[in-house]
PDB file of all heavy atoms in Angstrom:
ATOM      1  N   SER A 232      89.117 124.666  40.519  1.00 98.00           N
ATOM      2  CA  SER A 232      90.417 125.308  40.247  1.00 98.00           C
ATOM      3  C   SER A 232      90.381 126.097  38.945  1.00 98.00           C
ATOM      4  O   SER A 232      89.581 125.880  38.094  1.00 98.00           O
ATOM      5  CB  SER A 232      91.565 124.222  40.306  1.00 98.00           C
ATOM      6  OG  SER A 232      91.396 123.447  39.136  1.00 98.00           O
ATOM      7  N   LEU A 233      91.365 127.039  38.978  1.00 98.00           N
ATOM      8  CA  LEU A 233      91.517 127.815  37.742  1.00 98.00           C
ATOM      9  C   LEU A 233      92.898 127.479  37.134  1.00 98.00           C
ATOM     10  O   LEU A 233      93.760 127.046  37.847  1.00 98.00           O
ATOM     11  CB  LEU A 233      91.478 129.323  38.064  1.00 98.00           C
ATOM     12  CG  LEU A 233      90.157 130.007  38.453  1.00 98.00           C
ATOM     13  CD1 LEU A 233      90.391 131.407  38.715  1.00 98.00           C
ATOM     14  CD2 LEU A 233      89.195 129.800  37.338  1.00 98.00           C
ATOM     15  N   CYS A 234      93.041 127.752  35.903  1.00 99.00           N
ATOM     16  CA  CYS A 234      94.360 127.580  35.238  1.00 99.00           C
ATOM     17  C   CYS A 234      94.587 128.694  34.264  1.00 99.00           C
ATOM     18  O   CYS A 234      93.656 129.084  33.496  1.00 99.00           O
ATOM     19  CB  CYS A 234      94.363 126.221  34.565  1.00 99.00           C
ATOM     20  SG  CYS A 234      95.955 125.770  33.835  1.00 99.00           S
ATOM     21  N   ALA A 235      95.787 129.222  34.295  1.00 99.00           N
ATOM     22  CA  ALA A 235      96.238 130.161  33.248  1.00 99.00           C
ATOM     23  C   ALA A 235      97.067 129.431  32.179  1.00 99.00           C
ATOM     24  O   ALA A 235      98.032 128.752  32.557  1.00 99.00           O
ATOM     25  CB  ALA A 235      97.039 131.296  33.892  1.00 99.00           C
ATOM     26  N   ILE A 236      96.646 129.528  30.939  1.00 99.00           N
ATOM     27  CA  ILE A 236      97.275 128.729  29.860  1.00 99.00           C
ATOM     28  C   ILE A 236      97.887 129.675  28.848  1.00 99.00           C
ATOM     29  O   ILE A 236      97.235 130.556  28.354  1.00 99.00           O
ATOM     30  CB  ILE A 236      96.283 127.786  29.199  1.00 99.00           C
ATOM     31  CG1 ILE A 236      95.747 126.802  30.236  1.00 99.00           C
ATOM     32  CG2 ILE A 236      96.878 127.106  28.004  1.00 99.00           C
ATOM     33  CD1 ILE A 236      94.552 125.963  29.753  1.00 99.00           C
ATOM     34  N   GLU A 237      99.189 129.594  28.643  1.00 98.00           N
ATOM     35  CA  GLU A 237      99.869 130.456  27.670  1.00 98.00           C
ATOM     36  C   GLU A 237     100.472 129.549  26.594  1.00 98.00           C
ATOM     37  O   GLU A 237     101.163 128.595  26.877  1.00 98.00           O
ATOM     38  CB  GLU A 237     101.005 131.280  28.335  1.00 98.00           C
ATOM     39  CG  GLU A 237     101.650 132.235  27.331  1.00 98.00           C
ATOM     40  CD  GLU A 237     102.697 133.083  27.956  1.00 98.00           C
ATOM     41  OE1 GLU A 237     102.942 133.008  29.223  1.00 98.00           O
ATOM     42  OE2 GLU A 237     103.324 133.813  27.232  1.00 98.00           O
ATOM     43  N   ASN A 238     100.076 129.813  25.322  1.00 98.00           N
ATOM     44  CA  ASN A 238     100.555 128.975  24.230  1.00 98.00           C
ATOM     45  C   ASN A 238     100.361 127.456  24.421  1.00 98.00           C
ATOM     46  O   ASN A 238     101.247 126.639  24.231  1.00 98.00           O
ATOM     47  CB  ASN A 238     102.034 129.281  23.890  1.00 98.00           C
ATOM     48  CG  ASN A 238     102.284 130.655  23.546  1.00 98.00           C
ATOM     49  OD1 ASN A 238     101.446 131.297  22.896  1.00 98.00           O
ATOM     50  ND2 ASN A 238     103.400 131.258  23.897  1.00 98.00           N
ATOM     51  N   GLY A 239      99.144 127.159  24.940  1.00 98.00           N
ATOM     52  CA  GLY A 239      98.771 125.796  25.145  1.00 98.00           C
ATOM     53  C   GLY A 239      99.423 125.088  26.360  1.00 98.00           C
ATOM     54  O   GLY A 239      99.348 123.884  26.508  1.00 98.00           O
ATOM     55  N   LYS A 240     100.046 125.903  27.249  1.00 98.00           N
ATOM     56  CA  LYS A 240     100.817 125.283  28.380  1.00 98.00           C
ATOM     57  C   LYS A 240     100.287 126.002  29.596  1.00 98.00           C
ATOM     58  O   LYS A 240     100.101 127.205  29.724  1.00 98.00           O
ATOM     59  CB  LYS A 240     102.254 125.494  28.278  1.00 98.00           C
ATOM     60  CG  LYS A 240     102.832 124.689  27.122  1.00 98.00           C
ATOM     61  CD  LYS A 240     104.350 124.358  27.384  1.00 98.00           C
ATOM     62  CE  LYS A 240     104.822 123.225  26.548  1.00 98.00           C
ATOM     63  NZ  LYS A 240     104.836 123.496  25.124  1.00 98.00           N
ATOM     64  N   SER A 241     100.115 125.111  30.707  1.00 98.00           N
ATOM     65  CA  SER A 241      99.692 125.690  31.969  1.00 98.00           C
ATOM     66  C   SER A 241     100.824 126.449  32.560  1.00 98.00           C
ATOM     67  O   SER A 241     101.946 125.894  32.729  1.00 98.00           O
ATOM     68  CB  SER A 241      99.348 124.480  32.928  1.00 98.00           C
ATOM     69  OG  SER A 241      99.218 124.932  34.244  1.00 98.00           O
ATOM     70  N   ILE A 242     100.565 127.693  32.940  1.00 98.00           N
ATOM     71  CA  ILE A 242     101.726 128.526  33.498  1.00 98.00           C
ATOM     72  C   ILE A 242     101.370 128.899  35.002  1.00 98.00           C
ATOM     73  O   ILE A 242     102.207 129.315  35.717  1.00 98.00           O
ATOM     74  CB  ILE A 242     101.991 129.815  32.709  1.00 98.00           C
ATOM     75  CG1 ILE A 242     100.817 130.719  32.639  1.00 98.00           C
ATOM     76  CG2 ILE A 242     102.560 129.488  31.357  1.00 98.00           C
ATOM     77  CD1 ILE A 242     101.180 132.166  32.392  1.00 98.00           C
ATOM     78  N   ASP A 243     100.124 128.740  35.390  1.00 98.00           N
ATOM     79  CA  ASP A 243      99.762 128.818  36.786  1.00 98.00           C
ATOM     80  C   ASP A 243      98.357 128.197  36.998  1.00 98.00           C
ATOM     81  O   ASP A 243      97.576 128.046  36.115  1.00 98.00           O
ATOM     82  CB  ASP A 243      99.700 130.295  37.234  1.00 98.00           C
ATOM     83  CG  ASP A 243      99.957 130.409  38.741  1.00 98.00           C
ATOM     84  OD1 ASP A 243      99.966 129.424  39.458  1.00 98.00           O
ATOM     85  OD2 ASP A 243     100.121 131.561  39.291  1.00 98.00           O
ATOM     86  N   THR A 244      98.179 127.721  38.264  1.00 98.00           N
ATOM     87  CA  THR A 244      96.844 127.119  38.596  1.00 98.00           C
ATOM     88  C   THR A 244      96.570 127.334  40.049  1.00 98.00           C
ATOM     89  O   THR A 244      97.590 127.529  40.861  1.00 98.00           O
ATOM     90  CB  THR A 244      96.859 125.607  38.174  1.00 98.00           C
ATOM     91  OG1 THR A 244      95.602 125.129  38.329  1.00 98.00           O
ATOM     92  CG2 THR A 244      97.897 124.799  38.961  1.00 98.00           C
ATOM     93  N   SER A 245      95.272 127.345  40.439  1.00 98.00           N
ATOM     94  CA  SER A 245      95.038 127.769  41.800  1.00 98.00           C
ATOM     95  C   SER A 245      95.216 126.707  42.838  1.00 98.00           C
ATOM     96  O   SER A 245      95.508 127.012  43.989  1.00 98.00           O
ATOM     97  CB  SER A 245      93.550 128.369  41.858  1.00 98.00           C
ATOM     98  OG  SER A 245      92.662 127.388  41.420  1.00 98.00           O
TER      99      SER A 245
END
Side-chain angles (χ1 to χ4, degrees):
S232 71
L233 288 181
C234 182
I236 296 169
E237 184 179 357
N238 298 327
K240 293 207 159 63
S241 169
I242 60 156
D243 205 352
T244 189
S245 59

